[in-house]
Amino acid sequence: MNLLVDIGNTTIGIALYEQHVFIKKFIVSSEVDKAEDEYYLMFQTLTKDVEKTDIEHIFISSVVPILNRRIKNALFKIFNCQPIILGMGLKTGLSIKIDNPSELGSDLVCDAVGAINKYDSPIIIVDLGTATKILVIDKNKAFIGCSIAPGILMSALALTNKASQLPDFELSYPKNVIGKNTFESLKSGVVIGHGEMIKGICYQIEKQFDYKFIKVFTGGNSYAVKEYLLKSGFVYDENLLFEGLNVILNKNIGKEGNKYEK
């Protein structure tokens, strides 16, 4: 069984796969101040029902380098299996055609690999996390660039924190485009506004390339615009990053089943 870990700026996801089949996942907060022993206890509790000897491989995607060693050590103590972090030297199968390929975050690599493997190309992937990333894969299955905007939760918090008379509000799809009270008005501007931003950028991408793309969205903040994007022809894939991470893991498992080829 494969244990896959996504270390993000806001959350840490842990998923279990039996070969290519998703089993279950856990989501916890990503906290840079948390010590190794605290992560050990947290992961030990989360995986208490997992047979430790069933874990053959631990593979990590991380965009928070400061947490890498702590989480690797915590997982090794629990499973006695050396975690590997996705990085330079591992095979991904992804053609990256941007100015500096080394700048591309491992989370976006996983999104792209997962999308190509599951949906083919050309494809646009919208990852709604701390930031909203819109990734473009062309007809030749090459990653050719992306657009990055403040995430929907970040935008909402910035608005209510800076405007003293605006209250905190739930990120959910509003009943009407024009709100008749403060809460509905905020939902309209932030939620529908974010959805329209995504749709607008995707429209401009298709206009630039003069052909249609498959459009998929994923990420922890997808819930806020899920209804809106589904109505607009997007496909929702909750575990896209893990799908890609699992594909990359399987590309790098050696013949003995416990080595990673460089």
Side-chain angles (χ1 to χ4, degrees), residues 120-157:
D120 207 356
S121 67
I123 188 166
I124 295 170
I125 307 139
V126 183
D127 187 332
L128 292 109
T130 305
T132 293
K133 291 86 66 179
I134 302 176
L135 324 178
V136 182
I137 311 295
D138 69 9
K139 288 181 177 180
N140 300 314
K141 295 182 170 60
F143 183 104
I144 56 172
C146 69
S147 176
I148 301 175
I152 187 168
L153 181 58
M154 182 187 297
S155 299
L157 289 173

Side-chain angles (χ1 to χ4, degrees), residues 18 58 79 89 91 94 109 151 168 176 220 226 242 245 261:
E18 186 65 63
I58 301 176
F79 297 101
K91 296 181 293 185
L94 180 65
V109 172
D168 293 335
N176 300 296
K226 184 178 179 180
F242 287 122
L245 192 56
E261 299 171 348

Side-chain angles (χ1 to χ4, degrees), residues 48-67:
K48 64 180 185 300
D49 296 327
V50 177
E51 186 62 49
K52 303 303 185 274
T53 56
D54 287 346
I55 302 301
E56 298 178 271
H57 309 286
I58 301 176
F59 201 35
I60 299 172
S61 165
S62 174
V63 295
V64 191
I66 194 172
L67 288 178

Side-chain angles (χ1 to χ4, degrees), residues 39-49 52 77-78:
Y39 276 111
Y40 168 81
L41 292 172
M42 179 190 294
F43 295 150
Q44 181 80 284
T45 301
L46 285 175
T47 60
K48 64 180 185 300
D49 296 327
K52 303 303 185 274
K77 289 176 185 177
I78 297 169

